[in-house]
Amino acid sequence: MQKLGLDPTVVRRARELAARAGQPVVDLARSHTTVSVERAVLRLAGVRGADSDGIPWVNRLVDAVVADVGLSHGVAVPVFDALRREGLDDVTVLAQKAAAGAVRFGVPEKKGELTAARRAAGRAATAGLKVVDRRRVERERLIKRYGDAPRRPWIYLIVATGDIFEDIPQAQAAARAGADVIAVIRSTGQSLLDYVPEGATREGFAGTYATQENFRLMRAALDETSRELGRYVRLTNYASGLCMPEMAVLAGLERLDMMLNDSMYGILFRDINPIRTFVDQRFSRQVHARAGIIINTGEDNYLTTADAVEAAHTVTVSQLLNEFFAHEAGLADWQLGLGHAFEINPELPESFRLELAHALLARELFPDAPLKWMPPTKHMTGDVFRGNLLDGFFNLVGALTGQGILLVGMMTEAVVTPWLSDRDIALQNVRYVLNGAGNLHEDFVPAPGGFIQSRAHEVLGEAVELLERIVDDTLLEAIADGTFGIMKRPADRGKGLDGVAKHAEDYFNPVTEVLA
Amino acid sequence: MQKLGLDPTVVRRARELAARAGQPVVDLARSHTTVSVERAVLRLAGVRGADSDGIPWVNRLVDAVVADVGLSHGVAVPVFDALRREGLDDVTVLAQKAAAGAVRFGVPEKKGELTAARRAAGRAATAGLKVVDRRRVERERLIKRYGDAPRRPWIYLIVATGDIFEDIPQAQAAARAGADVIAVIRSTGQSLLDYVPEGATREGFAGTYATQENFRLMRAALDETSRELGRYVRLTNYASGLCMPEMAVLAGLERLDMMLNDSMYGILFRDINPIRTFVDQRFSRQVHARAGIIINTGEDNYLTTADAVEAAHTVTVSQLLNEFFAHEAGLADWQLGLGHAFEINPELPESFRLELAHALLARELFPDAPLKWMPPTKHMTGDVFRGNLLDGFFNLVGALTGQGILLVGMMTEAVVTPWLSDRDIALQNVRYVLNGAGNLHEDFVPAPGGFIQSRAHEVLGEAVELLERIVDDTLLEAIADGTFGIMKRPADRGKGLDGVAKHAEDYFNPVTEVLA
Amino acid sequence: MTIVRPYGDTTGDGMVQVSFTLPLVHDKRAEGAAVQLANKMGLDPAMLVHAKPMGEGFTFFVVYGRVNHLVDTEKVQVVERDFPLLSAKEINAVIKRRLRRRLSVVGACIGTDAHTVGIDAILNVKGIAGEKGLEYYRELSVTNMGAQVSVPDLVETARAQKADAVLVSQVVTQRDAHLHNTRAMSAAFREAMPAGKRPLLIVGGPRFDELMAAELGVDRIFGRGTTPREVASYLVHALIGAPK
Amino acid sequence: MTIVRPYGDTTGDGMVQVSFTLPLVHDKRAEGAAVQLANKMGLDPAMLVHAKPMGEGFTFFVVYGRVNHLVDTEKVQVVERDFPLLSAKEINAVIKRRLRRRLSVVGACIGTDAHTVGIDAILNVKGIAGEKGLEYYRELSVTNMGAQVSVPDLVETARAQKADAVLVSQVVTQRDAHLHNTRAMSAAFREAMPAGKRPLLIVGGPRFDELMAAELGVDRIFGRGTTPREVASYLVHALIGAPK
Ligand code: B12
Ligand code: B12
Ligand SMILES: Cc1ncc(COP(=O)(O)O)c(C=O)c1O
Ligand SMILES: Cc1ncc(COP(=O)(O)O)c(C=O)c1O
């Protein structure tokens, strides 16, 4: 049921503008590659493990290729050409040799060698994608076998102990307590590492590292719990930071179910170079599309730095852009966990109705996307009694507006990363609201022309205006100007720009060949 | 706006049935008197103070009259006859003499003496009522001068330290923090005392005594705070228990603004005799009507002993009865703070929508009464985090259904009488809800024929059925059967029956003469 | 495990939450005072995470921190159930076989306390938590005197009913009302009846400390969440002994 | 008043609320363990009012009770503001008159911490709580390096900007990240510059203990709710001295 009476022509116009604003960035992404995209390719093609310093062999291999021929041709051809020349069949062994300085890389001049290298790379990459495909089938099978989450919204809980072996029992406990989705938070520093750490880890600040092994361990533990509970429990991590494409690959290989993956988060909140981010982002989304992974975007973050009322329309604009980029990369609507949040200052008159207006706008603009509804954080304080109350009203908005994924708020938000008891209290809160008022949306009918409808129309109007400006000025300019989250990020600054290259004429990527 | 689509004929029928069920009880009340009614008359007529054991002179005087002539004539004539005979002009002095055994009482046989006594009693009682009238005018003036509560619902807070001198600063602090109404809880034992203690008191369990002096002290303190805040802060106490009529008089004399005053509470929850209660109740309401005091009824209490869903219709029935009795005693609709409560088990599916249905039913049945909305108590536990959450949803129902008086719930309900910080947290909760969602009722439209409407119709239907049964069996039988709050209270049992007398032919009461 | 610490999100982290009001105007010194108190309670480090001025001269605080106390579960004092939990059937059978008359129980909520829901939950057929109350037991004869019963009336009724056990409920605890009333009750029974003739004295209510029975002069205390079957089983155990 | 107690609803009642989790399965013994802990924290009597089993082998407790500790407000240790709070006008005037050049400030959020809202609140024109940030002060020259700045970069920039003061923010505190980073920062400055040439080192963030400045090797710590004017006033006080 449409409750806001949005004008379909305005909605259509908003989408058109988003496409026009996004297209230049897509063009950029299609014509560039990055070290992480190339490493992701090699991971799919079978490179595994790390050297004794913990630097992954994919990093060593890509570095070696870049040193010899640069990045612009892609690494697949030089690598598979060398593999043939060296008479090896294991790319990891090649990486080890290359790291020792024992291999030279180049793009073969002979047509036959080129074709052979491309074909070999294609076979290897396809083998990797097959694993991803198997994982996807496996997920579907397990959901069928164990059963799916019992209702919408899915209940999404975080664990963040900083030690995978503490995280595991906490995640299992959270699942038993009712979580449908577990997100394992990673260490504060990881997004700026230009490699993915290896192995099980017990360190980190406010979370431990995202590694393939940690993914595997956690997924196995949750499979066990899913079996026990008779309900498939989803696992989430982050495809963001400098290794976004590799994270997407690892998630696909280890059957993660959802990934935080935003088109602009890294730019805005990690000061990663915009071009780097957009290129990495497109590749990671192609992989997510293939893996059947649901992405979660990060519009909620803007409201922690910008004002949630003033900047409400920037959330809408960003959702439209994220949608455009996602569709372009092959993601279906059911995979779009577009983000938004309950971050209006609770002291503001009508704050709750404003939240309803914003949440409903997102719901009606993206009727087929499983919106990710984020709890209050910015206006949470050390007053934990008040905190639990705000979380309750956040949950109510979630229920009234049919959000798809409910990130459960913690009363200790302003104090600590969640304690065991915080999660328990928070889940009790969610259960009370969903159980007691879960169907109240039937009786929630924004008065025609009233406060809620007007506010939603106003925000949509502002979004259209902003999109018009972005189309005129370019998205990169808008980002440089602080349009999103008041963070100013010029396109020629930020981390990781040196890992970007424009495609050479002969650029070849066996993965995008398949995924495109 | 009517949101439930109640059938006006059903509503009319419910009221008619309530009148028919109540009328025999009114007849009973009109043909009986009680020791407390008579003491109330003497208080209005000017008897003050207590003996050295703390027994008020009114008690001594009424006891002396009863010993000589019984209660059935009323005490006014014997007393004022004796006053004339003794050549006294101060009734308190007469009481003292009578207590010493120095006065005999009788009903004068001579027409002239009788008329003289009646006239003297009438003059004295009228003087007392004049004070009450002055207080009422004073209230109206102060409200005009300081301003009234800024919004509906009025915010109602309890103080219960057990010491009037701790209660006062706490009440003032509560008012400054936002309370529009302060209720001073009295000691657990007071309702069964057949006299009103005298003077300022610093003892009691879970509250200190209701005395004329405590009333005066608290009203004076709140007047001071009202001036300071530029908003008249109302004061509440209890007209219930064995001294209900006297409490009403003292409240009128000391400008209390609201009084807890229910037609059946004392019967059910204090095991006071039903006849005693109904007689006392009628008189007390006549006085409240004159004093411009708002009464608060006690239907909320039923839901602490009975189940709030099963017994929902008993609340409606009791509200209809309380309304009938109140109108009959001269109270206007604006004086009817009919009680109901948020007491449904929060574990029950749809609990919140059921609460909405019940609260809205009360609202639409009594559109002109300032309903008193009571917070969760029964299902509160020592989990104070959950407690604050439930209170928030209680506040939301209050706002969505336009309740008149919001009794603020405390997160420590199951633990202690409210602490200073509990009130602060509770008020913060109320402010958040009213400020953020106070106008959400505009968007709350129970779906036609949906869950909320159906439930409200169902409860009203059950109420009509129950009223039909009560009309057939009599109200006294229904009370004896445990219809209300599952408490079984036969009409010939309970405390205070010996203080009841049927009017003699010549019964005279100078107060009811005026108030009738 | 015998030694444990509070658990926030990591074994042994010792984390706890504390809130309180100090009668001080809110300023830095008051915040320091709050930290001082938390330190005295054993929180170190103590994080003051919330301070809110209230009224005149009061401030409310929330403090989180690591507490350095250890909990030794071996040294925990509790009143463990030292009798078998019997079924209604067993209870009736034991009474019938060993006592050969119905066991007489008198219940009341004494003093000015009017909270009957608790004692009714134990006595009335309706019961609580899915268990029927003592009235339901064929071999128990129950007299429920209701609320606000005076101690002399209770003693009188106990005598008249030849009570084997007296069950008293106390819910209001402000200013230790429950302790005063219980002491008055047990003293009255001691005065009224010789040791051998006295009924078993049992009190219950949500805020009693079950360890205080001796101090209050009663035989047993039941706290939060008591069920009728526990009480009936205890009655059999204390008055008749083990079933056999 | 110098000696105070917590206040529930009566002067001197000493009432506090505590909650925590114990790694114990919920039973009577666990409840006893919770009371034991509360007793060790000084609650006596301790009322256990809520116990909730969580997951496997954990129980959450809420306890209320009277704490027997006294708070001596004379003995409270706080970092009191020991400098006058100046207006922007005064600050600019003092710098202009006494320093005769703009005072150079370099700010950053170091380590992997990406929380810039706090340092931005102090530095950016926008400010916080109605006060403009340091950039707004005509006589202050502000370099805001943003977040996730490495210590070597910070030292480098401080040198380049001839910083009179370096302002560092730390918000993430898990596993004492803020303390590690602050120590690393102050050590780097000590190593890189001789005592007389070092800028004033200031750190801030919501979970710092303001008493730890010496221990962390910095000149001053600012906590929750700091406003730009306080910081500017301190800069003037510490670098220039009293206005006159
Ligand atoms: C229901 C209720 C009422 C009802 C009582 C109706 C009735 N007929 O009982 C009404 C509305 C009348 C009422 C009135 C008052 N109440 Co009241 N009431 C409550 C309430 C909401 C629930 C109590 C309850 O029924 N619990 C459910 C039963 C099943 O639990 P229980 O009593 O703990 O009993 C269990 C065990 O303890 C044990 N047990 C109990 N007794 C016994 C006895 C024996 C022998 C055994 C073996 C076991 C046993 O077994 C039971 C079953 O498991 C509580 C708040 C709360 N949520 O706890 C306040 C509460 C108890 N009331 C309170 C107060 C202060 C009052 C009033 C004084 C307030 C006023 N405004 O005037 C009045 C006066 C009452 C008086 N004179 O005593 C306070 C007491 C504060 C304190 N700690 O001292 C409370 C805690 C609320 C508060 N925070 O202020 N109340
Ligand atoms: C906004 C926010 C974010 C934003 C930050 C955006 C940005 N550009 O800053 C985003 C969304 C990006 C974010 C991310 C994360 N966050 Co964050 N975040 C918050 C949040 C909601 C508010 C912080 C804030 O802005 N406060 C407002 C400012 C004005 O206050 P302030 O920082 O205290 O600053 C004042 C004073 O402390 C002082 N001050 C501060 N610095 C300085 C410096 C100087 C020199 C001086 C003088 C004074 C001073 O003055 C300021 C003004 O009064 C808090 C929760 C909360 N409600 O507190 C969590 C919180 C800080 N985040 C947390 C975490 C764990 C993270 C993540 C690691 C989580 C994740 N899922 O990945 C990430 C990674 C961040 C990273 N690498 O550091 C935790 C930290 C836990 C802990 N105690 O260690 C918190 C407490 C939430 C939680 N409970 O988990 N976060
Ligand atoms: C979309 C998105 N990506 C990433 C992150 C954080 O992860 P990291 O900084 O470790 O990449 C967040 C944080 O909440 C997020 O919202
Ligand atoms: C209508 C009514 N009267 C009286 C009381 C309690 O007062 P008392 O028992 O002291 O008369 C209540 C308690 O909440 C009540 O609801």
PDB file of all heavy atoms in Angstrom, chain C residues 75-92:
ATOM      1  N   LYS C  75      31.754 -19.825  48.324  1.00  0.00           N
ATOM      2  CA  LYS C  75      31.425 -19.139  49.570  1.00  0.00           C
ATOM      3  C   LYS C  75      30.042 -18.499  49.539  1.00  0.00           C
ATOM      4  O   LYS C  75      29.692 -17.739  50.428  1.00  0.00           O
ATOM      5  CB  LYS C  75      32.480 -18.046  49.838  1.00  0.00           C
ATOM      6  CG  LYS C  75      33.882 -18.602  50.061  1.00  0.00           C
ATOM      7  CD  LYS C  75      34.643 -17.825  51.124  1.00  0.00           C
ATOM      8  CE  LYS C  75      36.029 -18.407  51.378  1.00  0.00           C
ATOM      9  NZ  LYS C  75      37.102 -17.636  50.735  1.00  0.00           N
ATOM     10  N   VAL C  76      29.297 -18.786  48.490  1.00  0.00           N
ATOM     11  CA  VAL C  76      27.964 -18.192  48.390  1.00  0.00           C
ATOM     12  C   VAL C  76      27.046 -18.796  49.443  1.00  0.00           C
ATOM     13  O   VAL C  76      27.031 -20.004  49.635  1.00  0.00           O
ATOM     14  CB  VAL C  76      27.377 -18.441  46.986  1.00  0.00           C
ATOM     15  CG1 VAL C  76      25.890 -18.161  46.963  1.00  0.00           C
ATOM     16  CG2 VAL C  76      28.105 -17.591  45.965  1.00  0.00           C
ATOM     17  N   GLN C  77      26.317 -17.915  50.132  1.00  0.00           N
ATOM     18  CA  GLN C  77      25.345 -18.404  51.099  1.00  0.00           C
ATOM     19  C   GLN C  77      23.962 -18.363  50.485  1.00  0.00           C
ATOM     20  O   GLN C  77      23.474 -17.294  50.118  1.00  0.00           O
ATOM     21  CB  GLN C  77      25.321 -17.487  52.321  1.00  0.00           C
ATOM     22  CG  GLN C  77      26.507 -17.679  53.219  1.00  0.00           C
ATOM     23  CD  GLN C  77      26.154 -17.240  54.634  1.00  0.00           C
ATOM     24  OE1 GLN C  77      25.056 -16.764  54.890  1.00  0.00           O
ATOM     25  NE2 GLN C  77      27.086 -17.407  55.546  1.00  0.00           N
ATOM     26  N   VAL C  78      23.315 -19.502  50.365  1.00  0.00           N
ATOM     27  CA  VAL C  78      21.935 -19.490  49.898  1.00  0.00           C
ATOM     28  C   VAL C  78      21.141 -20.508  50.685  1.00  0.00           C
ATOM     29  O   VAL C  78      21.688 -21.451  51.245  1.00  0.00           O
ATOM     30  CB  VAL C  78      21.791 -19.888  48.407  1.00  0.00           C
ATOM     31  CG1 VAL C  78      22.140 -18.756  47.499  1.00  0.00           C
ATOM     32  CG2 VAL C  78      22.607 -21.113  48.076  1.00  0.00           C
ATOM     33  N   VAL C  79      19.828 -20.279  50.742  1.00  0.00           N
ATOM     34  CA  VAL C  79      18.963 -21.284  51.317  1.00  0.00           C
ATOM     35  C   VAL C  79      18.615 -22.223  50.179  1.00  0.00           C
ATOM     36  O   VAL C  79      17.763 -21.921  49.346  1.00  0.00           O
ATOM     37  CB  VAL C  79      17.693 -20.634  51.908  1.00  0.00           C
ATOM     38  CG1 VAL C  79      16.780 -21.694  52.485  1.00  0.00           C
ATOM     39  CG2 VAL C  79      18.085 -19.612  52.951  1.00  0.00           C
ATOM     40  N   GLU C  80      19.310 -23.343  50.112  1.00  0.00           N
ATOM     41  CA  GLU C  80      19.023 -24.301  49.056  1.00  0.00           C
ATOM     42  C   GLU C  80      17.791 -25.097  49.472  1.00  0.00           C
ATOM     43  O   GLU C  80      17.523 -25.273  50.660  1.00  0.00           O
ATOM     44  CB  GLU C  80      20.197 -25.279  48.889  1.00  0.00           C
ATOM     45  CG  GLU C  80      21.451 -24.673  48.303  1.00  0.00           C
ATOM     46  CD  GLU C  80      21.425 -24.598  46.775  1.00  0.00           C
ATOM     47  OE1 GLU C  80      20.347 -24.826  46.174  1.00  0.00           O
ATOM     48  OE2 GLU C  80      22.489 -24.306  46.184  1.00  0.00           O
ATOM     49  N   ARG C  81      17.072 -25.590  48.502  1.00  0.00           N
ATOM     50  CA  ARG C  81      15.944 -26.444  48.838  1.00  0.00           C
ATOM     51  C   ARG C  81      16.494 -27.732  49.422  1.00  0.00           C
ATOM     52  O   ARG C  81      17.155 -28.497  48.737  1.00  0.00           O
ATOM     53  CB  ARG C  81      15.105 -26.715  47.583  1.00  0.00           C
ATOM     54  CG  ARG C  81      13.853 -27.513  47.872  1.00  0.00           C
ATOM     55  CD  ARG C  81      12.836 -27.412  46.753  1.00  0.00           C
ATOM     56  NE  ARG C  81      13.430 -27.679  45.451  1.00  0.00           N
ATOM     57  CZ  ARG C  81      13.785 -28.902  45.025  1.00  0.00           C
ATOM     58  NH1 ARG C  81      13.610 -29.955  45.787  1.00  0.00           N
ATOM     59  NH2 ARG C  81      14.303 -29.049  43.825  1.00  0.00           N
ATOM     60  N   ASP C  82      16.269 -27.949  50.722  1.00  0.00           N
ATOM     61  CA  ASP C  82      16.841 -29.117  51.396  1.00  0.00           C
ATOM     62  C   ASP C  82      15.759 -30.159  51.629  1.00  0.00           C
ATOM     63  O   ASP C  82      15.767 -30.889  52.597  1.00  0.00           O
ATOM     64  CB  ASP C  82      17.479 -28.684  52.720  1.00  0.00           C
ATOM     65  CG  ASP C  82      16.545 -27.797  53.527  1.00  0.00           C
ATOM     66  OD1 ASP C  82      15.393 -27.580  53.083  1.00  0.00           O
ATOM     67  OD2 ASP C  82      16.960 -27.323  54.601  1.00  0.00           O
ATOM     68  N   PHE C  83      14.789 -30.150  50.716  1.00  0.00           N
ATOM     69  CA  PHE C  83      13.710 -31.141  50.827  1.00  0.00           C
ATOM     70  C   PHE C  83      13.314 -31.523  49.407  1.00  0.00           C
ATOM     71  O   PHE C  83      13.514 -30.742  48.485  1.00  0.00           O
ATOM     72  CB  PHE C  83      12.511 -30.565  51.589  1.00  0.00           C
ATOM     73  CG  PHE C  83      12.040 -29.247  51.051  1.00  0.00           C
ATOM     74  CD1 PHE C  83      11.094 -29.192  50.015  1.00  0.00           C
ATOM     75  CD2 PHE C  83      12.542 -28.058  51.559  1.00  0.00           C
ATOM     76  CE1 PHE C  83      10.667 -27.975  49.516  1.00  0.00           C
ATOM     77  CE2 PHE C  83      12.114 -26.829  51.057  1.00  0.00           C
ATOM     78  CZ  PHE C  83      11.178 -26.790  50.035  1.00  0.00           C
ATOM     79  N   PRO C  84      12.757 -32.720  49.240  1.00  0.00           N
ATOM     80  CA  PRO C  84      12.396 -33.136  47.875  1.00  0.00           C
ATOM     81  C   PRO C  84      11.127 -32.417  47.401  1.00  0.00           C
ATOM     82  O   PRO C  84      10.229 -32.138  48.197  1.00  0.00           O
ATOM     83  CB  PRO C  84      12.139 -34.633  48.020  1.00  0.00           C
ATOM     84  CG  PRO C  84      11.802 -34.827  49.462  1.00  0.00           C
ATOM     85  CD  PRO C  84      12.497 -33.763  50.245  1.00  0.00           C
ATOM     86  N   LEU C  85      11.105 -32.128  46.105  1.00  0.00           N
ATOM     87  CA  LEU C  85       9.935 -31.490  45.510  1.00  0.00           C
ATOM     88  C   LEU C  85       8.956 -32.606  45.136  1.00  0.00           C
ATOM     89  O   LEU C  85       9.248 -33.445  44.296  1.00  0.00           O
ATOM     90  CB  LEU C  85      10.374 -30.729  44.259  1.00  0.00           C
ATOM     91  CG  LEU C  85       9.478 -29.600  43.781  1.00  0.00           C
ATOM     92  CD1 LEU C  85       9.274 -28.560  44.861  1.00  0.00           C
ATOM     93  CD2 LEU C  85      10.109 -28.941  42.544  1.00  0.00           C
ATOM     94  N   LEU C  86       7.796 -32.623  45.792  1.00  0.00           N
ATOM     95  CA  LEU C  86       6.848 -33.721  45.585  1.00  0.00           C
ATOM     96  C   LEU C  86       5.726 -33.292  44.642  1.00  0.00           C
ATOM     97  O   LEU C  86       5.465 -32.107  44.470  1.00  0.00           O
ATOM     98  CB  LEU C  86       6.240 -34.132  46.931  1.00  0.00           C
ATOM     99  CG  LEU C  86       7.257 -34.461  48.043  1.00  0.00           C
ATOM    100  CD1 LEU C  86       6.526 -34.780  49.342  1.00  0.00           C
ATOM    101  CD2 LEU C  86       8.148 -35.632  47.624  1.00  0.00           C
ATOM    102  N   SER C  87       5.045 -34.278  44.082  1.00  0.00           N
ATOM    103  CA  SER C  87       3.866 -33.978  43.279  1.00  0.00           C
ATOM    104  C   SER C  87       2.672 -33.842  44.217  1.00  0.00           C
ATOM    105  O   SER C  87       2.717 -34.274  45.378  1.00  0.00           O
ATOM    106  CB  SER C  87       3.607 -35.108  42.288  1.00  0.00           C
ATOM    107  OG  SER C  87       3.179 -36.247  43.006  1.00  0.00           O
ATOM    108  N   ALA C  88       1.583 -33.244  43.709  1.00  0.00           N
ATOM    109  CA  ALA C  88       0.383 -33.082  44.524  1.00  0.00           C
ATOM    110  C   ALA C  88      -0.080 -34.449  45.034  1.00  0.00           C
ATOM    111  O   ALA C  88      -0.477 -34.606  46.193  1.00  0.00           O
ATOM    112  CB  ALA C  88      -0.708 -32.421  43.698  1.00  0.00           C
ATOM    113  N   LYS C  89       0.001 -35.416  44.162  1.00  0.00           N
ATOM    114  CA  LYS C  89      -0.413 -36.765  44.522  1.00  0.00           C
ATOM    115  C   LYS C  89       0.388 -37.305  45.709  1.00  0.00           C
ATOM    116  O   LYS C  89      -0.158 -37.791  46.692  1.00  0.00           O
ATOM    117  CB  LYS C  89      -0.178 -37.665  43.305  1.00  0.00           C
ATOM    118  CG  LYS C  89      -1.216 -38.723  43.129  1.00  0.00           C
ATOM    119  CD  LYS C  89      -1.052 -39.352  41.768  1.00  0.00           C
ATOM    120  CE  LYS C  89      -1.861 -40.645  41.683  1.00  0.00           C
ATOM    121  NZ  LYS C  89      -1.778 -41.190  40.335  1.00  0.00           N
ATOM    122  N   GLU C  90       1.709 -37.175  45.569  1.00  0.00           N
ATOM    123  CA  GLU C  90       2.577 -37.649  46.657  1.00  0.00           C
ATOM    124  C   GLU C  90       2.274 -36.927  47.962  1.00  0.00           C
ATOM    125  O   GLU C  90       2.221 -37.521  49.034  1.00  0.00           O
ATOM    126  CB  GLU C  90       4.051 -37.419  46.284  1.00  0.00           C
ATOM    127  CG  GLU C  90       4.561 -38.338  45.185  1.00  0.00           C
ATOM    128  CD  GLU C  90       5.937 -37.903  44.662  1.00  0.00           C
ATOM    129  OE1 GLU C  90       6.126 -36.697  44.357  1.00  0.00           O
ATOM    130  OE2 GLU C  90       6.826 -38.772  44.569  1.00  0.00           O
ATOM    131  N   ILE C  91       2.070 -35.610  47.844  1.00  0.00           N
ATOM    132  CA  ILE C  91       1.843 -34.823  49.047  1.00  0.00           C
ATOM    133  C   ILE C  91       0.560 -35.293  49.745  1.00  0.00           C
ATOM    134  O   ILE C  91       0.566 -35.568  50.957  1.00  0.00           O
ATOM    135  CB  ILE C  91       1.773 -33.316  48.689  1.00  0.00           C
ATOM    136  CG1 ILE C  91       3.180 -32.853  48.305  1.00  0.00           C
ATOM    137  CG2 ILE C  91       1.219 -32.501  49.846  1.00  0.00           C
ATOM    138  CD1 ILE C  91       3.229 -31.524  47.597  1.00  0.00           C
ATOM    139  N   ASN C  92      -0.496 -35.403  48.967  1.00  0.00           N
ATOM    140  CA  ASN C  92      -1.744 -35.891  49.563  1.00  0.00           C
ATOM    141  C   ASN C  92      -1.555 -37.258  50.196  1.00  0.00           C
ATOM    142  O   ASN C  92      -2.031 -37.521  51.302  1.00  0.00           O
ATOM    143  CB  ASN C  92      -2.842 -35.957  48.499  1.00  0.00           C
ATOM    144  CG  ASN C  92      -3.382 -34.568  48.173  1.00  0.00           C
ATOM    145  OD1 ASN C  92      -3.448 -33.691  49.048  1.00  0.00           O
ATOM    146  ND2 ASN C  92      -3.754 -34.353  46.924  1.00  0.00           N
TER     147      ASN C  92
END
